[in-house]
Amino acid sequence: MASSSSRPSHRSVFDAAYIRAEFEAAGVSPHFIPLIWKYVLQNPRCADLDGVPSLPAAAYALLRNKFRPTTSTLTAAAESKDRTTTKLLIRLQNGESVEAVIMRYDSRLGKYDGKTRPGGVRSTLCVSSQVGCKMGCRFCATGTMGFKSNLTSGEIVEQLVHASRYSQIRNIVFMGMGEPLNNYTALVEAIQVLTASPFQISPKRVTVSTVGIIHSINKFNNDLPNINLAVSLHAPDQDIRCHIMPAARAFPLAKLMNALQSYQSVSKQTIFIEYIMLDGVNDQEEHAHQLCKLLETFKVVVNLIPFNPIGSSSNFKTSSEQNVKKFQKVLRGIYGIRTTVRQEMGQDIAGACGQLVVSLPDERSAGGATLLSDIEDLRL
C-alpha cells in the first residue's frame, strides 16, 4: 500500500478488494464491477464513471463519491528508434512516478526445433510493483532509487489500462521497478483482476520475477496457480550472489533452492532462471558448470541477460558475445538445459532490463512498430 500517511479521498476502481467491499456494504452486487472495468478499458480517457451503462442508482452514487476511473496519469511516453519498445512514465496519486515498458514481437520471426514458430504479432507489458526497490542489486538502476512506496493493486492494473492505448497486450511480466513478492497482497489481487474479465490475460502468459523471497515463494502456487515464476538467480553460489545482490544475505542459496524444489514438486511448473552476464564476475565456463550442478534436479529455462550499463559509475561491464555463447554452450550442449539469450530492447530509451529508473529522454513518437523475433513467450 502507498506509503503516504493518509488515504486519498478517491480510490481506483481497479482496487478490487476495496470496490467489492464498498459495493457489498451498499447492497450493490459485485457482479457489476467487471462492467465498470470494461468501460474504463474501452474509454481510457474518461473523466468520470457516469457513462457506465446499466448500473443501479446506488452504484453511480458510490462511484461518484469514492472512486475514479484511474488514479494514475500517463505523463509521457518514449519510443525506441526501432519502434519495438515504448516506455511509459506514469504518475501516481501520491506524486511518485513509475515506469512500464511495452515490448513488441513477431513470434513468426523466430524458430523452435528448426521450424518457424507459430503465432504472430504480440506485445508484452513489463509492469512495476513498487516505486523504487529495497533489494539494492548493484547492476540495477532501480536499486539506486532506494524504496519509496508500494503500489496498490489498482495502480498495478492501471499500467495495463494505460498501455492498452498503445498496443494490444498479450503477455505481462512483473519485471519492472520493485520486488513483486515484497508487495505480495497487492500483487496477488492485481493478477486475479488481470486474469479475469474483462482483461482475460491467460495465467500462462503472466510471469512474476523475484530475487527469491522464500516465505512468499512458499505460498505462491497456492495463491497464484498456473502463473509463471522467474527467479533472478544471477550467480551459481552464495558468495558471488551476495556480492552483486546484497539482499541475498537474507535468502541463503541453499534455502532458496529448497523452497524452489518444494514449489516445483507441487506446481509442476517450469521455473525461469534469470542470469545477468557480468564480465569476469559470473560469466566464466566454471560458473556455467556450477550453475548446471545447482539446477540439475529442476525443470528450468535459463535466460541469459546481457548487462545493460546504468551510467558511467557502473562497476560492471557487459560480457563479451563470445563468453555468452560459451556459457550457453555448456548449459545446452553438456547438460541439456534449455537456455535462451535475451534480445535486448529499448536500451536507447533506458527501457531495457535493469535500466528502469524514473526518467525519460526527450525523443517521443507514436505510430507503427518494427517487429523482433519472439523471446519472452516460450512454449513449455
Side-chain angles (χ1 to χ4, degrees):
M1 296 302 164
S3 63
S4 51
S5 57
S6 60
R7 269 284 170 216
S9 58
H10 288 79
R11 294 281 289 270
S12 168
V13 291
F14 296 105
D15 277 327
Y18 186 76
I19 193 170
R20 284 194 195 104
E22 290 293 326
F23 268 44
E24 287 170 358
V28 179
S29 171
H31 295 301
F32 289 107
I33 295 172
L35 296 176
I36 301 168
W37 292 342
K38 183 178 181 180
Y39 177 83
V40 177
L41 190 59
Q42 292 175 341
N43 302 274
R45 293 179 176 86
C46 63
D48 57 52
L49 298 160
D50 291 343
V52 182
S54 308
L55 298 181
Y60 289 110
L62 192 59
L63 291 173
R64 281 188 212 105
N65 291 332
K66 295 199 172 184
F67 294 95
R68 287 182 182 159
T70 58
T71 56
S72 62
T73 308
L74 180 60
T75 54
E79 201 154 303
S80 60
K81 287 186 174 70
D82 61 12
R83 300 290 183 89
T84 60
T85 307
T86 305
K87 184 165 76 165
L88 308 178
L89 182 65
I90 298 167
R91 186 175 176 83
L92 308 177
Q93 198 171 17
N94 66 0
E96 299 286 357
S97 292
V98 293
E99 294 176 337
V101 180
I102 303 167
M103 299 166 287
R104 301 178 184 89
Y105 307 97
D106 187 342
S107 57
R108 295 167 298 189
L109 299 179
K111 289 186 180 291
Y112 182 54
D113 283 346
K115 300 175 184 176
T116 300
R117 299 186 67 152
V121 179
R122 63 178 180 78
S123 293
T124 292
L125 179 65
C126 178
V127 301
S128 295
S129 55
Q130 297 178 309
V131 181
C133 185
K134 292 177 182 175
M135 298 296 99
C137 297
R138 294 178 58 209
F139 49 80
C140 179
T142 307
T144 65
M145 293 176 62
F147 172 74
K148 296 186 178 179
S149 63
N150 282 327
L151 271 63
T152 66
S153 62
E155 289 168 336
I156 294 172
V157 174
E158 285 178 17
Q159 292 172 70
L160 176 57
V161 177
H162 295 307
S164 296
R165 290 163 54 176
Y166 290 83
S167 191
Q168 184 175 351
I169 303 299
R170 195 178 77 158
N171 295 347
I172 294 179
V173 294
F174 283 80
M175 299 181 183
M177 297 169 66
E179 164 54 59
L181 297 192
N182 272 347
N183 191 13
Y184 190 81
T185 301
L187 171 78
V188 171
E189 189 174 291
I191 290 175
Q192 289 169 345
V193 172
L194 294 169
T195 53
S197 179
F199 297 99
Q200 300 287 13
I201 302 288
S202 167
K204 294 179 180 179
R205 290 178 176 159
V206 179
T207 302
V208 175
S209 174
T210 177
V211 300
I213 312 297
I214 293 171
H215 63 273
S216 295
I217 291 172
N218 289 340
K219 54 186 178 178
F220 188 88
N221 182 66
N222 187 56
D223 293 330
L224 294 169
N226 301 314
I227 299 295
N228 297 308
L229 181 65
V231 180
S232 296
L233 198 61
H234 301 317
D237 64 45
Q238 180 70 358
D239 287 345
I240 298 174
R241 204 162 186 258
C242 288
H243 172 61
I244 62 177
M245 304 168 67
R249 291 184 179 87
F251 308 105
L253 193 55
K255 290 185 178 179
L256 172 58
M257 301 314 290
N258 286 340
L260 293 175
Q261 195 83 65
S262 298
Y263 162 79
Q264 190 163 70
S265 67
V266 173
S267 71
K268 312 302 181 189
Q269 294 263 109
T270 297
I271 298 171
F272 291 86
I273 300 295
E274 297 167 308
Y275 195 97
I276 195 160
M277 298 293 287
L278 302 172
D279 183 46
V281 177
N282 64 353
D283 67 339
Q284 303 301 299
E285 287 187 59
E286 65 188 272
H287 297 131
H289 286 285
Q290 281 181 277
L291 180 63
C292 291
K293 288 180 172 58
L294 188 68
L295 300 174
E296 62 185 351
T297 60
F298 290 86
K299 183 183 178 185
V300 297
V301 173
V302 176
N303 191 204
L304 303 179
I305 306 169
F307 169 64
N308 290 304
I310 55 174
S312 57
S313 62
S314 176
N315 294 315
F316 301 111
K317 294 180 180 177
T318 305
S319 297
S320 67
E321 192 174 335
Q322 183 182 16
N323 276 2
V324 174
K325 285 180 178 177
K326 282 182 181 177
F327 202 98
Q328 184 181 30
K329 191 173 181 180
V330 171
L331 271 64
R332 269 184 172 176
I334 299 178
Y335 295 89
I337 294 176
R338 190 171 174 195
T339 310
T340 63
V341 178
R342 182 171 295 181
Q343 189 166 2
E344 288 307 292
M345 303 172 69
Q347 283 179 299
D348 57 321
I349 55 169
C353 180
Q355 289 186 316
L356 295 192
V357 65
V358 176
S359 63
L360 277 172
D362 291 333
E363 180 184 338
R364 296 184 185 106
S365 58
T370 306
L371 298 166
L372 292 178
S373 58
D374 182 12
I375 59 163
E376 294 285 343
D377 189 28
L378 295 172
R379 288 179 177 272
L380 304 175

